[in-house]
Amino acid sequence: MMRTRPLKVALLGCGVVGSEVARIMTTHADDLTARIGAPVELAGVAVRRPDRVREGIDQNLVTTDATALVKRGDIDVVVEVIGGIEPARTLITTAFEHGASVVSANKALLAQDGAALHAVAGQHDKDLYYEAAVAGAIPLIRPLRESLAGDKINRVMGIVNGTTNFILDKMDSTGAGYQEALDEATALGYAEADPTADVEGFDAAAKAAILAGIAFHTRVRLDDVYREGMTEVTAADFASAREMGCTIKLLAICERAADGASVTARVHPAMIPLSHPLASVRGAYNAVFVESDAAGQLMFYGPGAGGSPTASAVLGDLVAVCRNRLSGATGPGESAYAALPVSPMGEVVTRYHISLDVADKPGVLAQVATVFAEHGVSIDTVRQSGKDGEASLVVVTHRASDAALTGTVEALRKLDTVRGVASIMRVEGE
């Protein structure tokens, strides 16, 4: 039976995503009503600049007092798309305390304080949904915490930032340098004026923390995620990758240890074989590859950012939360029962591609090989080229720990025949 009294929604933030949420709520109002079982009503919109014209939004709904809006008591769902830590954290907590469930797209806040927010939601028997916080429109959070809830997930690896994927794809396909590719991404609107959060991996690291926490039923905070940016990736690195039948992607990787006793979460550039599904993800698209015991290998692919895709994920959560509201139930909360330790990066085991500038004379390769052997790092392949007294030596290892590789490189730098370490890159996806 259809309920006639509308469910009231408060919207915090009306930028690119928020305005799309409001537009879809209006244009798809009848469909949303049919899917939920009751009409939804936009009851207020909190903004910082109230004088800006917002097409399709009743100016009478606009307020600068977000706190008063979430404290009204008649609000059923608060949609938070303002981002950042504060005031978002306080507003979400206040919403729970005053009877509202919350839909958020705030990856930074969830990565930092997700456990505390889930605790407050649980205390007040309210929902906290955040599909839009990771990979935009791609259904990922709900499949991990609902569809795969009966399975054991061993690895989540993916491209979760469209800006960095666009830049790396442009470098790969055209031979452009990093700065040239970044400039094009900025001109096309894929990169912010300050791209630091994207290109230094902060954005992807927040998403990795969220994914690892859900996949492994363990609290993983942003500080637990190892992070490397991609600003040092060069055209020469792509040339080396092509020689190995690889390309380069900025990957978020969340893994369960082979013995199941710990987990790791990391973000860094990596060479990945062209045969791997993630290698074919082009432009500003995102994709996440999931490996589990029963389901096997799954890949989720689609637009990972932008107003409409992100709003789609927000609206999906809004429908789910409103349905829960009508039935008097709540959806899944935090699942952290496993409480596995998060291992440091030094314990992560993977393959490595190391490019060395060396003297072009007899015995160099033997010296380098000896250093690798002394540190327990097995060599898979070696390629040497050079002339006029200078040479390039490229070494690809078998799987080794990050700590062992770090010790190896430190020792290599001390060799008189090694002029410098041109690049070090992990090789994933094999």
Side-chain angles (χ1 to χ4, degrees):
M1 181 176 179
M2 184 74 68
R3 193 182 87 164
T4 56
R5 184 175 68 80
L7 292 159
K8 293 189 176 182
V9 177
L11 179 61
L12 307 183
C14 199
V16 174
V17 176
S19 59
E20 274 296 292
V21 170
R23 184 189 67 78
I24 295 172
M25 285 183 65
T26 301
T27 58
H28 294 180
D30 291 342
D31 287 337
L32 291 174
T33 297
R35 294 167 190 172
I36 292 169
V40 287
E41 173 188 311
L42 189 58
V45 181
V47 299
R48 286 183 297 175
R49 294 181 286 273
D51 296 332
R52 178 180 295 177
V53 176
R54 294 172 174 85
E55 186 177 347
I57 295 177
D58 184 348
Q59 190 63 26
N60 293 322
L61 299 178
V62 175
T63 178
T64 58
D65 194 343
T67 301
L69 180 59
V70 300
K71 281 184 173 181
R72 274 178 35 174
D74 64 335
I75 299 297
D76 294 287
V77 184
V78 169
V79 174
E80 183 271 311
V81 288
I82 57 178
I85 306 301
E86 288 291 357
R89 174 171 49 198
T90 299
L91 290 171
I92 289 174
T93 300
T94 303
F96 291 139
E97 293 170 347
H98 286 78
S101 289
V102 173
V103 172
S104 176
N106 195 332
K107 54 188 172 288
L109 177 58
L110 290 160
Q112 178 172 304
D113 290 318
L117 294 177
H118 272 295
V120 178
Q123 289 168 10
H124 296 278
D125 200 25
K126 295 295 178 287
D127 276 323
L128 173 61
Y129 276 49
Y130 41 90
E131 184 67 64
V134 180
I138 305 171
L140 184 59
I141 301 298
R142 195 171 290 118
L144 288 178
R145 71 176 187 174
E146 296 182 33
S147 304
L148 297 173
D151 207 342
K152 179 184 177 183
I153 297 173
N154 297 310
R155 195 179 206 214
V156 180
M157 179 172 74
I159 299 161
V160 295
N161 183 279
T163 299
T164 55
N165 199 57
F166 178 89
I167 293 169
L168 292 173
D169 182 40
K170 186 61 62 175
M171 292 175 70
D172 187 21
S173 61
T174 69
Y178 166 75
Q179 189 60 51
E180 183 183 352
L182 172 60
D183 290 344
E184 182 172 349
T186 304
L188 293 172
Y190 292 126
E192 302 287 346
D194 180 0
T196 302
D198 295 325
V199 300
E200 294 294 352
F202 291 101
D203 176 85
K207 295 169 182 176
I210 295 169
L211 292 174
I214 296 170
F216 306 132
H217 304 278
T218 292
R219 288 178 179 170
V220 179
R221 288 170 51 90
L222 180 59
D223 292 345
D224 296 321
V225 182
Y226 174 82
R227 177 193 55 79
E228 281 181 30
M230 47 153 285
T231 57
E232 301 300 317
V233 176
T234 66
D237 291 326
F238 275 102
S240 295
R242 281 191 289 273
E243 290 178 358
M244 291 180 58
C246 293
T247 187
I248 299 172
K249 299 291 185 182
L250 184 75
L251 297 178
I253 304 172
C254 312
E255 291 180 307
R256 188 190 299 270
D259 62 3
S262 64
V263 299
T264 59
R266 50 198 166 101
V267 170
H268 53 72
M271 293 183 180
I272 189 166
L274 294 174
S275 58
H276 194 283
L278 290 176
S280 61
V281 178
R282 310 302 296 267
Y285 274 71
N286 285 192
V288 177
F289 199 73
V290 177
E291 300 175 27
S292 68
D293 276 2
Q297 297 179 334
L298 308 169
M299 192 167 90
F300 301 83
Y301 169 84
S308 293
T310 306
S312 171
V314 170
L315 266 295
D317 278 351
L318 179 62
V319 169
V321 170
C322 285
R323 287 171 175 170
N324 291 343
R325 193 84 172 184
L326 289 179
S327 65
T330 55
E334 183 192 31
S335 175
Y337 73 90
L340 297 171
V342 182
S343 297
M345 186 63 186
E347 297 179 14
V348 170
V349 175
T350 189
R351 297 179 68 206
Y352 290 87
H353 176 284
I354 305 102
S355 180
L356 304 172
D357 295 326
V358 299
D360 186 16
K361 63 182 184 180
V364 173
L365 180 56
Q367 287 184 329
V368 169
T370 297
V371 169
F372 275 88
E374 288 174 347
H375 289 80
V377 179
S378 176
I379 294 175
D380 182 19
T381 62
V382 177
R383 186 175 68 255
Q384 186 172 5
S385 61
K387 60 181 180 179
D388 299 328
E390 299 295 331
S392 174
L393 189 65
V394 174
V395 178
V396 179
T397 74
H398 288 290
R399 291 173 65 82
S401 73
D402 189 83
L405 195 282
T406 299
T408 302
V409 172
E410 289 176 353
L412 288 171
R413 294 183 193 276
K414 296 177 182 179
L415 293 178
D416 292 338
T417 51
V418 174
R419 310 293 193 221
V421 180
S423 70
I424 304 171
M425 191 165 295
R426 295 170 183 85
V427 182
E428 302 285 352
E430 295 185 314

